[in-house]
Amino acid sequence: TYMKKVTDNPPTPKASEGQGKVKAVNPASPKATQGQGKVKEPIRQAQGEPTTMEELLATSGYTLSVPKKGETLKGLVTGVNRKMVMVDIGAKTEGVVADREYEFAKEFIETIKVGDEIDVYVASDENERGQILLSLKRAMFDKLWTMLDDYLKNEKEVVVKTVELNRGGMIVRWQGLRGFIPSSQFGATYAGNLQGLVGKDISVKPIEVDREKNRLIFSEKHVSEAAVMEQRESALKGVKVGNVFSGSVTGVLSFGAFVAVPVTSGKETITVEGLVHISEISWEKVEDIHKYLKVGDKVEVKVLGVEEGTGKLNLSMKQLQADPWSLVAEKYAAGTTVKGTVSRSAPFGVFVNFEPGVDGLIHVSRIASFGELTPGETIEVLVENVDPEHRRMSLGPVLKEVPIGYK
């Protein structure tokens, strides 16, 4: 009987009591309805939404790079101050140019601004602040060479630091680049006192810029004597190849002589310096130029060419004399016997001179027929072959008897 009562009237569970408490609240209340929703239904994520940082970056289209030491990247300058340069290189943090790299590129940094795109070199991985250390050397050199090309075209001045004097001129530095000023490109103010310039800053103009060959040539003369050089260039425009001038020897060196000639430009007469190369002094072979010329000598010269870049002339003295080889074929025909003077010896034979500028060669294979030959000795030789075009004459011993079959 007891069991039947339990079955017919089961007791109300505690959960029902809890439900009773909820029902005590006004069922029409929005809060009650929302509260019930939070408890009974889990939060559902919209289909296709990113769940990780990688997925978020992928959907945004942003690429996060991880720069490695030694890489060269393109970056955008985002900040410049007195201690560092900040560059956005697409990493999780900006790269920085600081400390030694900043000091090295200090002059170059003054030329860049926020928003510039530049090439940067990853000098090291992240530091303790999570920053990537960068170098501007490559970007700096790229921009400097571009600037120099512009300076060359527009004839702009730059200030260089003189470093070292050598036989050819002065080695200089400009914003980290190594350049050179030939001795001939210094004005009269510094001529003869170049050693006193070492370590000083001087104004110059670039006259040759070749990045591929890493060749950078400056001229001090183009600054200190700009007005004179402008007059000289104007005067040179009136000089033609073939013109003849009377001039004075101003310098004698191992490779040639410098000659100053007067050139008329309008109503003014400008003195222009030219070079007579050692090969253009005489038709004969010149061993010692000092035997032919000395400073102060008055000479006649012919213009072979005009160097507009240096404002100098290429001159010749021998071109005003008759070329002796023009008559050699007639005067020294093959088969004739002539007398000459032994002038010099070489590994391949001995040269015999007949007149200034005309030498013949006794080949080493024929020397035995002559015995021992000494410079200055007069000998008689047989002209075996003449080639005026190439200025060659082959010599042999004089035949005492004509061999059978000789023609």
Side-chain angles (χ1 to χ4, degrees), residues 110 194 248 386:
E110 294 177 358
L194 297 184
S248 300
V386 179

Side-chain angles (χ1 to χ4, degrees), residues 162-166 168-172 179-182 186 194 197-198:
T162 55
V163 177
E164 179 185 345
L165 181 66
N166 60 28
M170 185 77 73
I171 297 172
V172 299
F180 186 69
I181 306 175
F186 281 95
L194 297 184
L197 278 178
V198 177

Side-chain angles (χ1 to χ4, degrees), residues 83-144:
K83 293 185 178 180
M84 67 174 64
V85 177
M86 283 74 76
V87 184
D88 180 2
I89 53 175
K92 63 181 181 181
T93 59
E94 289 179 315
V96 296
V97 180
D99 303 325
R100 287 184 301 175
E101 291 294 339
Y102 183 92
E103 289 300 320
F104 180 85
K106 199 169 184 178
E107 291 181 63
F108 169 68
I109 290 171
E110 294 177 358
T111 68
I112 63 177
K113 62 185 181 301
V114 173
D116 286 351
E117 186 180 58
I118 57 176
D119 288 330
V120 292
Y121 175 83
V122 181
S124 66
D125 299 324
E126 293 183 1
N127 59 15
E128 65 278 2
R129 298 179 183 177
Q131 297 170 318
I132 299 170
L133 301 181
L134 306 174
S135 170
L136 289 178
K137 289 179 182 177
R138 177 172 176 176
M140 178 181 73
F141 290 138
D142 284 346
K143 189 162 185 176
L144 290 179

Side-chain angles (χ1 to χ4, degrees), residues 24-161:
V25 181
N26 185 0
S29 171
K31 290 185 179 180
T33 304
Q34 292 175 6
Q36 287 177 352
K38 287 184 179 179
V39 172
K40 293 182 179 182
E41 297 182 10
I43 297 175
R44 293 184 180 181
Q45 184 174 348
Q47 188 175 2
E49 286 189 2
T51 58
T52 64
M53 177 59 74
E54 289 76 9
E55 291 178 2
L56 179 61
L57 291 173
T59 57
S60 67
Y62 183 84
T63 302
L64 180 65
S65 64
V66 182
K68 296 180 181 179
K69 183 178 179 180
E71 285 186 320
T72 298
L73 308 169
K74 283 194 177 296
L76 196 68
V77 177
T78 58
V80 181
N81 58 40
R82 294 182 179 180
K83 293 185 178 180
M84 67 174 64
V85 177
M86 283 74 76
V87 184
D88 180 2
I89 53 175
K92 63 181 181 181
T93 59
E94 289 179 315
V96 296
V97 180
D99 303 325
R100 287 184 301 175
E101 291 294 339
Y102 183 92
E103 289 300 320
F104 180 85
K106 199 169 184 178
E107 291 181 63
F108 169 68
I109 290 171
E110 294 177 358
T111 68
I112 63 177
K113 62 185 181 301
V114 173
D116 286 351
E117 186 180 58
I118 57 176
D119 288 330
V120 292
Y121 175 83
V122 181
S124 66
D125 299 324
E126 293 183 1
N127 59 15
E128 65 278 2
R129 298 179 183 177
Q131 297 170 318
I132 299 170
L133 301 181
L134 306 174
S135 170
L136 289 178
K137 289 179 182 177
R138 177 172 176 176
M140 178 181 73
F141 290 138
D142 284 346
K143 189 162 185 176
L144 290 179
W145 281 105
T146 301
M147 290 169 62
L148 286 167
D149 281 329
D150 178 68
Y151 293 163
L152 177 65
K153 293 176 183 177
N154 296 290
E155 299 184 1
K156 290 186 178 180
E157 293 182 26
V158 296
V159 177
V160 298
K161 170 76 75 174

Side-chain angles (χ1 to χ4, degrees), residues 359-372:
D359 286 80
L361 174 68
I362 303 174
H363 192 266
V364 66
S365 61
R366 312 299 298 277
I367 292 179
S369 301
F370 292 89
E372 186 177 352

Side-chain angles (χ1 to χ4, degrees), residues 327-338 382-386 393:
L327 301 174
V328 163
E330 298 175 12
K331 296 172 66 174
Y332 308 99
T336 58
T337 299
V338 292
L382 174 69
V383 178
E384 296 182 337
N385 184 48
V386 179
M393 185 189 303

